[in-house]
Amino acid sequence: PPRYREPLAMHLAELARHDLNTLVALHALLETRSVSRAAERLNLSQPAVSRTLGRLREAFDDPLFVRAQRGLRPTARAEALRQPLARLLQELGALLAPPEFSPEDSQRRFQLATTDYGMHAFVAPQIAPLHEQAPGIRLDIQAYGGNVEQQLEEGGPELAMCVPTARVPAGVHGREIGDDQFVCVMRKDHPLAAKETLSLEDFLAASHQLISMGGDERGAVDLKLAELGLSRQVVMRQPHFLAAFSVSCHSDLLLCVPGCLAISMLDQLPLALRPLPITLNRFSYWLVWHERLHHDAGHRWLRQTLSTGIQARHRELSQRLRQRLGS
């Protein structure tokens, strides 16, 4: 007749009836063939090992050891247990040992969530250094979905670069990259680019485009203007930061974006950059990850390597931005 595997739950229920620590003592007894030497190896008292041997005999329904002229002699049942027990304890030790991560040998796939501007301004310059250290790793870049904390909680990306909009939940860890501010960009030959400063009157009279990843009708600039009893003329909304720069290069539409992103685009596109004529609160970039990956060796390497590189990139862009704004 065919043989069927017993359900794992049945084996677990049986194992739960036994103290598996006694197997460590059995291994020591098999190695030393002496209660006193086994006790010394286990850092236990001799009576404690003797009591453990009693429980082992009951569990295996076998004497396991008999007294001989020189110490203890294993029974046939104990001898049969020697090799499988040694393998089991070795595997268990490997299971309990802290996992290691070797970047140069890893073939691991990592998932990172960010916006297109986070990828362009901060993450893209880190790809080559990452692959120099770990040539076999693969990166899956996912679109930032707004509530990244929820994405992490639900098992989405392993790491995200974002601007948290609320208090980070207890199960999410984070490392601050640095802060930033909104600025205004326009094509280099825009009529307003001829002026050294952008006045509030000119700002409100101009046409604007709004980047809205979640479909919101208003952004941070609009909310601040509303506090002042003002509004601007938004004639175009779109969800893509990098495409918005192209639109401004080919039109008179002004674009309000984070300063680090704006300064990273000036070398590539014919754009002019001006401070906003209103004061907005600064905001901070963070790398965030979930508690379930906090102690993972590979994830620790990724977030430390990325945060070091991104922080250096942030410092470079911030310095260039201050020089351009004269602040």
Side-chain angles (χ1 to χ4, degrees):
R3 298 177 62 185
Y4 297 97
R5 292 182 180 272
E6 294 182 10
L8 178 59
M10 294 178 62
H11 293 290
L12 293 178
E14 179 64 22
L15 285 173
R17 295 177 53 246
H18 300 283
D19 180 2
L20 298 184
N21 287 322
T22 59
L23 296 180
V24 179
L26 176 57
H27 177 68
L29 286 166
L30 285 167
E31 290 290 305
T32 64
R33 300 194 178 196
S34 165
V35 171
S36 61
R37 288 198 296 273
E40 184 178 348
R41 176 176 294 189
L42 298 171
N43 198 25
L44 296 172
S45 67
Q46 210 169 317
V49 175
S50 295
R51 288 193 296 271
T52 299
L53 178 55
R55 293 199 300 273
L56 284 164
R57 285 168 168 163
E58 183 179 349
F60 285 99
D61 192 23
D62 188 272
L64 296 177
F65 297 92
V66 295
R67 293 195 176 278
Q69 187 175 1
R70 295 183 179 179
L72 300 175
R73 174 176 295 178
T75 64
R77 176 75 168 117
E79 283 289 358
L81 290 170
R82 181 190 298 275
Q83 290 187 2
L85 178 59
R87 288 196 299 270
L88 173 65
L89 294 179
Q90 184 176 15
E91 292 173 359
L92 183 59
L95 180 66
L96 296 176
E100 297 181 356
F101 178 77
S102 175
E104 60 271 17
D105 300 322
S106 177
Q107 300 291 317
R108 183 165 169 176
R109 181 192 300 269
F110 292 101
Q111 296 176 320
L112 171 66
T114 187
T115 58
D116 61 337
Y117 95 74
M119 185 67 191
H120 171 84
F122 297 108
V123 179
Q126 316 311 318
I127 301 304
L130 279 176
H131 280 109
E132 286 178 5
Q133 295 185 47
I137 65 167
R138 290 172 289 174
L139 295 174
D140 286 347
I141 308 299
Q142 301 179 4
Y144 170 74
N147 189 350
V148 70
E149 293 85 3
Q150 183 177 348
Q151 286 181 284
L152 295 171
E153 179 70 31
E154 294 175 352
E158 298 169 291
L159 189 64
M161 182 176 176
C162 64
V163 177
T165 55
R167 186 178 64 84
V168 177
V172 175
H173 295 267
R175 181 173 298 175
E176 188 174 8
I177 298 300
D179 63 1
D180 201 353
Q181 66 188 88
F182 276 95
V183 297
C184 182
V185 297
M186 63 196 78
R187 61 184 174 86
K188 209 162 189 176
D189 55 353
H190 193 287
L192 294 179
K195 300 183 178 182
E196 290 187 5
T197 59
L198 179 62
S199 70
L200 180 58
E201 181 181 4
D202 287 338
F203 183 79
L204 298 178
S207 296
H208 296 252
Q209 58 172 323
L210 169 67
I211 300 172
S212 174
M213 294 182 294
D216 297 329
E217 291 288 339
R218 299 189 299 175
V221 172
D222 303 286
L223 295 175
K224 184 62 178 182
L225 288 172
E227 291 179 9
L228 302 173
L230 303 171
S231 63
R232 59 175 176 160
Q233 302 180 60
V234 176
V235 300
M236 178 179 178
R237 288 190 305 134
Q238 66 156 308
H240 306 296
F241 282 89
L242 300 186
F245 282 94
S246 180
V247 170
S248 286
C249 283
H250 294 90
S251 72
D252 283 338
L253 299 186
L254 302 187
L255 177 63
C256 297
V257 291
C260 285
L261 172 62
I263 205 70
S264 73
M265 298 296 295
L266 291 191
D267 294 336
Q268 304 172 35
L269 296 173
L271 294 166
L273 184 152
R274 296 289 183 272
L276 290 179
I278 56 174
T279 301
L280 265 66
N281 292 333
R282 298 180 71 90
F283 55 90
S284 293
Y285 301 109
W286 286 73
L287 278 178
V288 294
W289 61 92
H290 196 268
E291 168 68 26
R292 68 178 184 278
L293 291 165
H294 187 61
H295 299 287
D296 180 272
H299 193 275
R300 186 184 303 116
W301 168 83
L302 177 68
R303 66 181 185 252
Q304 289 178 347
T305 305
L306 271 180
S307 64
T308 298
I310 291 175
Q311 285 171 341
R313 173 67 169 170
H314 175 268
R315 288 192 296 270
E316 172 201 340
L317 294 175
S318 296
Q319 182 178 6
R320 290 171 55 190
L321 180 62
R322 288 192 297 269
Q323 291 173 345
R324 182 58 67 101
L325 296 178
S327 60

